[in-house]
Amino acid sequence: MANLTFSATEQRELREAARAEFPGNPALAYVLESLAAEGIRLDGCRDWDDIRTEQGLPDREDGAQGVA
């Protein structure tokens, strides 16, 4: 299982950001704290092409790069 972990400094910064966000946005604070504690499991990550296929969207055209 691939996992992205954060250095001690990055973990501290994420936790500080979580404390700063908590009064106004507790959901974001929870996510930041979880990232600091657990890292990111990369096995479940999907790219845009996977998402497009799942949603039944057509393949991207080369001329439409960067178009939202």
Side-chain angles (χ1 to χ4, degrees):
M1 175 186 327
N3 197 48
L4 175 65
T5 56
F6 297 99
S7 70
T9 301
E10 291 169 325
Q11 289 177 10
R12 186 184 72 249
E13 290 171 353
L14 284 169
R15 288 189 171 102
E16 288 172 359
R19 285 191 289 273
E21 285 295 326
F22 180 71
N25 195 343
L28 178 58
Y30 174 79
V31 169
L32 293 172
E33 178 61 34
S34 294
L35 288 174
E38 301 170 17
I40 301 169
R41 211 178 94 230
L42 299 175
D43 293 344
C45 292
R46 303 173 295 163
D47 65 17
W48 285 113
D49 291 328
D50 293 337
I51 294 168
R52 291 179 70 78
T53 300
E54 289 171 10
Q55 297 299 316
L57 299 171
D59 291 336
R60 290 186 298 173
E61 297 176 10
D62 290 335
Q65 294 290 349
V67 176

